[in-house]
Amino acid sequence: MCTTQEPVIRAWITAHRKSLIIWAVVVGAVIAVVNTMNSMDPGAHRDKDGRVTTAGYEELVSLRSGDCFDSGGHLPSAGTRIMPLTTVKVVPCDRPHDAEAFASIELPAIAPAPNTPPFAEYAHGQCTSQAEAYILDPWSAPEGLRAFYTAEAIKNWGSGDRRMVCYFGLAGSTLTSSLRTDDAALTTEQKAYLKAAGPRGSAVAALPRGPEDLQAKLPAFNACAARAAAATREEIRVLESTPWSPAVGTEITALVAELRKEATVLDGLARTGQAGAFGEYADGTAYNAPLQDAVVQVRRALGLTTES
């Protein structure tokens, strides 16, 4: 994993001055230690499509993508990432809640076992790709939103129970609707842009920030910069090969020019990046300010939010 810190999605957008769509999936093995459900607690009722219609208690690891739930204030903390529950109250998404499952994944037998360092990196990748598809535009995500995962206990891993659930949590706040992007509410151009920008956002978001031991981990961070540079060039390729309306196309052309400059900066970090250079990139002193403006102008032309 390129970075070990626990970023907040919107904080990353701010730190990079809206330069791109940034995903920051914070993952950690969630160790369930308390079961709050007893035999008298009713399970949730669902309609024929699987949507929850009546609140009820279910095991955290059995949640489905799109399930909203109330943790009762027990979301994992930034320091421990431990969820002190095995069951949670699942509710219709228009009812108050503080968390939402966005992926339920059956992992292959070759996946690393839970609660091991290799599994943390593996889960990070699995949840990140699912998160990008669930919320196409992270700029629309609530401030402070984090993403976590929980997996079947190690004792069940060998017997074939390898389900992992990725979920968003918003500690100290209340949600009253689903976080899932309504694909039907987006125009063709909006979807094309968001899908083009998403992978690059994840790659750049994985670069180091803050007080990490950059020098000791520099080779890994150089590799991360190389991946970010490649993702930037892929975004350029997709943007240039997509047909745009005249008004949007003008702004896309300006954005592509700034992305080329950004790719050059990332190439430099990949080849010869030193700890100081990564620090400057992370805190914004080496930031390409016109890129911020170009992204905002594209979003404005597309009718997407320009506030974060």
Side-chain angles (χ1 to χ4, degrees):
M1 192 182 300
C2 296
T3 182
T4 59
Q5 291 190 355
E6 299 183 81
V8 179
I9 292 171
R10 299 278 290 222
W12 278 28
I13 296 174
T14 302
H16 286 264
R17 293 173 171 80
K18 299 181 182 176
S19 61
L20 39 88
I21 308 300
I22 292 181
W23 265 109
V25 175
V26 183
V27 293
V30 178
I31 306 170
V33 295
V34 177
N35 190 337
T36 60
M37 183 174 71
N38 60 51
S39 59
M40 300 300 292
D41 289 324
H45 291 174
R46 300 175 182 270
D47 62 18
K48 61 182 179 63
D49 296 319
R51 288 187 293 267
V52 174
T53 56
T54 303
Y57 288 86
E58 295 191 4
E59 291 186 353
L60 183 62
V61 77
S62 70
L63 297 184
R64 309 178 192 181
S65 176
D67 282 353
C68 297
F69 64 94
D70 182 12
S71 74
H74 293 295
L75 287 172
S77 68
T80 64
R81 291 176 287 181
I82 295 175
M83 180 74 140
L85 302 172
T86 59
T87 58
V88 292
K89 185 177 182 180
V90 184
V91 301
C93 288
D94 60 359
R95 295 271 302 277
H97 58 279
D98 62 359
E100 180 173 347
F102 62 87
S104 176
I105 306 170
E106 292 292 339
L107 299 177
I110 61 172
N115 300 330
T116 64
F119 185 77
E121 184 169 357
Y122 183 84
H124 181 279
Q126 294 289 317
C127 287
T128 297
S129 62
Q130 295 292 326
E132 289 173 352
Y134 201 86
I135 302 181
L136 286 178
D137 188 2
W139 285 37
S140 66
E143 184 175 358
L145 190 69
R146 293 179 181 271
F148 305 88
Y149 71 79
T150 185
E152 288 283 1
I154 293 177
K155 65 180 181 180
N156 297 326
W157 204 250
S159 63
D161 291 334
R162 301 189 183 94
R163 175 180 291 183
M164 179 176 72
V165 173
C166 308
Y167 64 95
F168 296 114
L170 190 62
S173 298
T174 300
L175 299 167
T176 54
S177 62
S178 174
L179 296 165
R180 191 199 304 263
T181 298
D182 181 2
D183 199 63
L186 296 174
T187 68
T188 299
E189 286 189 320
Q190 287 174 336
K191 285 186 282 190
Y193 171 71
L194 293 174
K195 290 178 180 179
R200 176 182 174 265
S202 296
V204 175
L207 291 171
R209 307 163 322 285
E212 292 188 273
D213 186 3
L214 294 172
Q215 196 64 54
K217 302 174 182 177
L218 200 55
F221 291 148
N222 290 152
C224 289
R227 287 195 288 272
T232 300
R233 289 194 168 84
E234 176 60 13
E235 180 179 347
I236 291 171
R237 185 195 68 78
V238 174
L239 292 177
E240 289 187 322
S241 63
T242 301
W244 305 98
S245 60
V248 174
T250 298
E251 303 302 341
I252 290 290
T253 298
L255 173 58
V256 165
E258 297 305 328
L259 287 173
R260 293 191 192 281
K261 298 176 186 177
E262 182 78 349
T264 300
V265 172
L266 292 168
D267 281 338
L269 291 176
R271 290 193 302 268
T272 60
Q274 300 298 312
F278 273 111
E280 290 178 356
Y281 186 88
D283 66 20
T285 56
Y287 179 74
N288 174 17
L291 178 56
Q292 169 197 353
D293 297 332
V295 170
V296 170
Q297 292 305 317
V298 167
R299 294 180 63 87
R300 181 172 290 119
L302 288 167
L304 295 169
T305 180
T306 58
E307 299 296 327
S308 66

